[in-house]
Amino acid sequence: MAEPADEHERRVAPVASHPKAEPCGWQPVPLISEAIREAGEPYGGEGGQWVQTIAIDQHSGDLVIYGTDVAGVLRSLDGGATWEPTNVGLHARGGSGAAIDPNFPDRVVLIGMNSLPSGRHGVYLSEDRAASWEHVLPIMMCGIRDIRDQIAFDPNTAEEELELTRDVYWSRPAVETPFFGQVEPDPAIYRSGDGGRSWERLAETAHVAGGILRADPHQSGRLLTYGGDGLYVTENRGEDWRKIKDGAFTGLDICPSRPGLIWLTDASNLYCSIDGGKSFEAISSARSALAREGYTLRGVEASPADADRLLLWRQQDDGWDWSWHVSHDAGATWQRTRHDNAKAFLPQNSRQGVFTWHPRDADVVIATGGDWPTRSADGGRTFAWSARGFVGNLVSSQFHFNPKQPDLLFLGSQDYSAAITQDGGKTWRYVNVSGKSWGGFTYGAHAVTPDVLIAGDSGKWAGSRRLNISRDGGETWERRDDIAFDRGNWDKPEAEVPYGFQSAFACPDHSNVWFFGPYRSTDSGVTWSLMPHCDGVHNLAVDGTGKNVTLVGSDYDQATGMAHVVLSNDHGASWRRVLTVQGRPIDAAYNADSGVAYMVTADGNLYRAEPGTTSEAQRLDPPRDQFGNRRMRSVALDPIHPEIVYAAQNKDIYAVDASAMRSMDGGDTWEVLTRNEPLGETDLDGGRESFIVRVHPVNRDAWFGTGCYGTWRYPAPNKKDE
C-alpha cells in the first residue's frame, strides 16, 4: 500500500541542493566550468575516483556512504544531493564495502582497502553517521576493485536498549590482485554479535566467501551467498551452509518488501525465486534482451519500494563496455540506462554498475556515473550527475600561480589531463593535453599566459615527462619528444632521458624565459638546453621591496648523493647553492628577506638553513602521523609573511592524520591542519594525502594538491598589520 502523500514527501523530498556553510578552515576547490555555473550548478565537484561501494540508510534514505578506491570515503546527509569527505579515523585510503545499520542508521560498517596490502585495512565502525571511524578489525589485505555487497546486517536482531543491530556478517575476498606487493588471500565469513564492534572468523566458510552476501529480512539467522560452485544458504548464523543451486553466479538480491522473492544472475541469465530459494525460474525475456556472447550479467538490485523494479549491469569480458539495464516489470522488458552528464566537468569513464535504491521512493536511485556519483529520479531510466562537494582530482606534481596574474593557474592531473582557471579557482576549463577521450597523464603544468601553456605529458604514471606547448589556450599542442625528463632516473646518471622535477615555470620579469624540469628556454620555448646545477624550478621569492626576484630550485648531485637548494638572480642563467644535505630533493622554498632556505628530501625530511652558503642545515621536527612516521612532500612560504611556513606529507599506503601543517615561527613549532575531530556542522575534512602546497601571492590562501582527495585551500591567518 502506498504511503500518504504528505508522509511520502516528508521522508523523500530531502534533496536540499547546497553543501555545508563555508567553513572557517578547509574550503574545497572544485573543478567547475563557467557554463555549468551558468546552467544553475553553483557548487560543483569533479569527482574523479573509482567508486567501490554505495550504501543508503533504510529509514529516510538521507544518509548515503560512498566508498572510493584510493580517495577515502564520502557521505551525503541529504540523499545524495551533496557530499563531503569523511575520513576522520580512517587509516585506509579507500572503502570496498559499506553497510548502514538498518535499525539504527547512525551506525556504519566499512571495509577499508587500498591498492596494495596493508594492516591498516579491514573492518571499520562508525557510530556517529560516518563523522568518525574506529578500526575494529585490522587485517592484512588489499581489497581494491572488490566491488560487491559484502557486508550484511541481520535486521531481525535489533537490540533496542543497546541501540544497535546485533548480528553483522562480512564476506572476505576470495581472490585479491593488488597493484603492488603480495598478499595471501584468506577467504572466510566473519560474524559480529555486537553490531560490528568485535568479530570472529567462522570456520569452514572459505568455500562460500567472496560473493555477494545477503541477510534474509524475513528470517533471523538466515543468509544467502554464492561461492565458486553454487548458491548457498545458512539458517543458523553462518555455522553451517548448504548448497541450494549449482552454478557460477554473479549477482544476488533479496527483496525486503516481498517475502520469499530472490533474484539471481549468472553470466547469461536472470533467475527468480518466489519460495525463498527452494526453486528458481530463468527469466527468458531477460536472457533474450541482455545475454551477449563475450559479456557477463552482474549485480542485480531490486527496489525495496517496488520489487518489480530491477537494475543490473553487463560487463564485457575483455574490454571496457560496462552497460547498465533497468526493468520496471520484474524482468519482462529492459532498457539501457541513460546518463546525463551535462553538469560533469571531467570526461566520463565507463565503470561497473554500483547502485543503491532509495528505501521508500522507487523512483530514486543513487549510483556511480563513471568516477562520480549520479542520481536517478525516474526509477533508474536516467542518471544525472550529482556530485556536489566531491573533489577528488589527483594533483601529484608541482603547480605555480602565475606571478603577473595571480588568479591564473594551470593544474595537471595524473588521471584527468589538466584544467585552467583565470579567476582564482571559481571557474575552470578542461584542457586535454594528452588528447585521450578518457583523460590522460599530465604533470608539471604551468600557464605563462592564459593562451601560452606548458605541460609535461606521459603515456603512463611512471613514464618520462615530455614537453607539450600550446599557444592557443590548449586547443592545439606542439609535442616535443626531444625535450623530456624522468623523475625515476635519479640514480641513473648515464640515462638517455635526464633526471628532473615535475615542474614548469616562467620568469615573471622575462616572459621569454621558461623552465621545464631541468630545461631552460630563453626564446619562449623554441629552443631548450639543460641547466647546469638545477634539476627544476620550484618557486620564486620576492624580498620586502618587491623589486628583487629570486628563482628557487634544487639540484641533486648524482655522483655524491647530495641535495642542494639553488638560487638564481639572473633568470636561471646561473645558480648558487644555499642549503646542502645528504639525500635527494623534492621541494624547496626561500625567504628572500631573511635568507633562510627550506628543503624537503625524498626520505621524508624537512630541512632549514640560516643565511650563508656554508650554513649547516637543521633537520626540523614537524608533526609525525598517527603511527609515528614522517614523509614530508612539500614546503611553501607565505609571500607577505614568509615566517609562516606550510608543509605537506602523505604516505600513499595509508592516509595520514597529519597531512597538512603550518608553522607561524619559521618552522620551530607546528600546528596540524588536517582534521582529526569528528565532523561537525560546518567544518570540512580537507587536504588529506597532500602532495604539494603553494600559497596564493595576493590573498595568501594555502592551496594543497592531494593524491586523489582533490584540491583544497586553507585561509591565511588574520594579521593585524595588514
Side-chain angles (χ1 to χ4, degrees):
M1 178 179 296
E3 295 178 305
D6 57 343
E7 177 68 7
H8 176 79
E9 288 299 317
R10 183 183 70 80
R11 291 178 171 175
V12 177
V15 201
S17 302
H18 59 83
K20 290 183 175 181
E22 184 171 290
C24 58
W26 287 109
Q27 299 171 21
V29 185
L31 302 182
I32 182 172
S33 70
E34 184 177 1
I36 294 173
R37 281 198 186 275
E38 291 178 349
E41 172 50 52
Y43 302 107
E46 71 277 3
Q49 301 303 326
W50 199 330
V51 67
Q52 310 289 286
T53 182
I54 305 175
I56 191 168
D57 83 75
Q58 296 302 304
H59 282 253
S60 65
D62 290 345
L63 175 63
V64 189
I65 304 299
Y66 188 96
T68 71
D69 53 352
V70 290
V73 177
L74 297 102
R75 73 172 180 178
S76 174
L77 299 175
D78 53 15
T82 62
W83 301 87
E84 64 173 326
T86 172
N87 299 291
V88 174
L90 182 63
H91 311 313
R93 285 288 304 267
S96 62
I100 301 171
D101 189 316
N103 299 302
F104 304 95
D106 284 355
R107 310 184 71 260
V108 187
V109 172
L110 175 79
I111 305 304
M113 43 65 63
N114 193 5
S115 56
L116 74 170
S118 170
R120 317 304 181 192
H121 302 160
V123 183
Y124 287 80
L125 174 67
S126 173
E127 298 183 285
D128 54 11
R129 296 176 71 80
S132 62
W133 300 94
E134 179 185 359
H135 199 185
V136 294
L137 181 63
I139 287 183
M140 176 62 73
M141 56 175 283
C142 173
I144 197 166
R145 304 291 189 265
D146 185 20
I147 301 174
R148 61 192 171 93
D149 290 336
Q150 54 192 275
I151 308 168
F153 280 87
D154 184 341
N156 306 287
T157 61
E159 296 281 0
E160 296 293 339
E161 292 184 359
L162 299 176
E163 296 186 342
L164 56 81
T165 297
R166 185 185 67 242
D167 288 351
V168 197
Y169 302 84
W170 172 44
S171 174
R172 183 171 171 174
V175 178
E176 293 202 67
T177 53
F179 292 162
F180 310 98
Q182 299 294 323
V183 65
E184 295 183 6
D186 184 19
I189 303 295
Y190 286 73
R191 181 179 66 199
S192 172
D194 55 10
R197 292 171 179 161
S198 63
W199 294 80
E200 61 177 321
R201 185 184 188 278
L202 299 182
E204 299 182 3
T205 55
H207 65 298
V208 295
I212 290 175
L213 182 65
R214 302 290 188 193
D216 191 330
H218 311 291
Q219 180 180 331
S220 182
R222 187 173 193 264
L223 297 95
L224 282 85
T225 191
Y226 51 81
D229 62 348
L231 180 67
Y232 287 82
V233 65
T234 177
E235 295 179 347
N236 58 0
R237 303 177 66 234
E239 295 292 337
D240 302 293
W241 296 82
R242 59 185 175 86
K243 189 193 298 186
I244 58 175
K245 184 173 175 59
D246 288 321
F249 299 111
T250 59
L252 170 66
D253 202 16
I254 301 177
C255 185
S257 63
R258 193 175 299 174
L261 180 58
I262 300 173
W263 296 100
L264 184 69
T265 57
D266 62 16
S268 302
N269 295 282
L270 173 68
Y271 301 93
C272 178
S273 173
I274 59 174
D275 54 14
K278 295 177 182 178
S279 62
F280 283 87
E281 177 185 357
I283 308 298
S284 59
S285 54
R287 179 181 177 88
S288 62
L290 301 175
R292 296 286 186 277
E293 185 176 354
Y295 288 79
T296 297
L297 303 184
R298 294 188 180 276
V300 61
E301 298 266 358
S303 166
D306 182 349
D308 290 338
R309 296 194 176 195
L310 306 174
L311 275 163
L312 57 75
W313 57 285
R314 187 175 64 196
Q315 178 182 13
Q316 187 178 13
D317 297 336
D318 187 19
W320 284 70
D321 181 8
W322 299 341
S323 59
W324 306 1
H325 303 268
V326 62
S327 173
H328 282 196
D329 52 15
T333 61
W334 294 84
Q335 68 180 74
R336 185 165 179 166
T337 64
R338 300 184 301 273
H339 291 265
D340 175 7
N341 291 307
K343 293 183 178 180
F345 182 86
L346 298 175
Q348 184 188 19
N349 275 326
S350 175
R351 298 295 191 211
Q352 290 98 328
V354 184
F355 24 66
T356 185
W357 292 87
H358 194 281
R360 299 182 182 274
D361 189 339
D363 284 335
V364 175
V365 192
I366 311 298
T368 180
D371 286 344
W372 53 79
T374 61
R375 189 176 189 272
S376 174
D378 59 5
R381 291 188 174 103
T382 303
F383 287 88
W385 175 96
S386 185
R388 294 182 184 118
F390 178 13
V391 292
N393 200 35
L394 168 55
V395 182
S396 62
S397 60
Q398 297 191 356
F399 62 83
H400 309 288
F401 295 97
N402 184 291
K404 287 187 174 181
Q405 303 176 64
D407 286 341
L408 175 61
L409 178 64
F410 187 31
L411 280 181
S413 170
Q414 180 161 285
D415 295 316
Y416 271 116
S417 209
I420 188 170
T421 180
Q422 298 184 54
D423 53 17
K426 295 178 182 177
T427 60
W428 297 80
R429 179 169 52 84
Y430 185 74
V431 179
N432 193 345
V433 181
S434 302
K436 303 180 186 298
S437 61
W438 54 265
F441 310 112
T442 303
Y443 305 88
H446 183 63
V448 182
T449 70
D451 291 327
V452 180
L453 309 177
I454 315 171
D457 182 57
S458 175
K460 54 185 178 179
W461 291 350
S464 297
R465 295 14 176 164
R466 302 191 178 275
L467 175 64
N468 285 256
I469 302 173
S470 176
R471 302 180 191 273
D472 55 10
E475 294 296 324
T476 61
W477 290 88
E478 174 194 1
R479 181 179 174 91
R480 295 288 302 272
D481 289 335
D482 59 318
I483 307 299
F485 64 87
D486 196 320
R487 63 174 184 159
N489 287 345
W490 60 273
D491 59 348
K492 303 177 181 66
E494 304 303 321
E496 181 178 349
V497 177
Y499 167 67
F501 298 120
Q502 300 182 140
S503 177
F505 201 62
C507 280
D509 50 352
H510 279 65
S511 58
N512 60 324
V513 178
W514 301 354
F515 302 93
F516 175 69
Y519 295 90
R520 177 175 180 258
S521 172
T522 59
D523 54 9
S524 299
V526 177
T527 61
W528 295 82
S529 60
L530 283 169
M531 292 183 289
H533 310 303
C534 182
D535 293 319
V537 176
H538 296 294
N539 220 321
L540 61 80
V542 182
D543 66 9
T545 69
K547 297 180 180 179
N548 298 314
V549 176
T550 301
L551 293 176
V552 184
S554 58
D555 178 50
Y556 176 62
D557 190 327
Q558 292 175 304
T560 64
M562 301 300 290
H564 311 278
V565 174
V566 293
L567 306 178
S568 176
N569 293 105
D570 56 8
H571 321 297
S574 62
W575 298 86
R576 67 184 189 279
R577 295 172 175 173
V578 293
L579 189 161
T580 298
V581 296
Q582 185 75 37
R584 180 166 54 92
I586 57 175
D587 202 7
Y590 179 69
N591 184 336
D593 290 324
S594 67
V596 175
Y598 299 83
M599 178 166 56
V600 177
T601 53
D603 58 5
N605 288 307
L606 173 61
Y607 293 91
R608 178 181 65 189
E610 301 299 327
T613 57
T614 60
S615 174
E616 183 177 351
Q618 173 191 4
R619 187 169 64 183
L620 299 180
D621 190 27
R624 295 178 181 270
D625 67 27
Q626 67 267 41
F627 301 112
N629 299 319
R630 179 181 291 145
R631 190 179 185 230
M632 306 305 297
R633 302 286 287 179
S634 183
V635 63
L637 309 183
D638 185 303
I640 308 301
H641 298 278
E643 72 278 7
I644 301 177
V645 184
Y646 293 90
Q649 69 171 329
N650 66 25
K651 195 65 176 176
D652 285 345
I653 60 175
Y654 60 84
V656 304
D657 68 350
S659 184
M661 59 195 72
R662 178 175 65 191
S663 172
M664 302 292 288
D665 54 13
D668 290 333
T669 61
W670 296 85
E671 61 176 321
V672 173
L673 305 179
T674 309
R675 184 178 180 88
N676 291 304
E677 296 296 325
L679 299 182
E681 293 297 322
T682 58
D683 292 339
L684 293 172
D685 172 25
R688 288 193 183 270
E689 288 300 279
S690 294
F691 271 98
I692 180 74
V693 58
R694 291 294 181 258
V695 184
H696 191 284
V698 176
N699 64 35
R700 301 172 45 230
D701 284 355
W703 286 48
F704 289 81
T706 73
C708 304
Y709 290 74
T711 304
W712 293 80
R713 57 190 176 97
Y714 201 89
N718 293 325
K719 305 292 290 187
K720 294 181 179 180
D721 55 346
E722 292 181 8

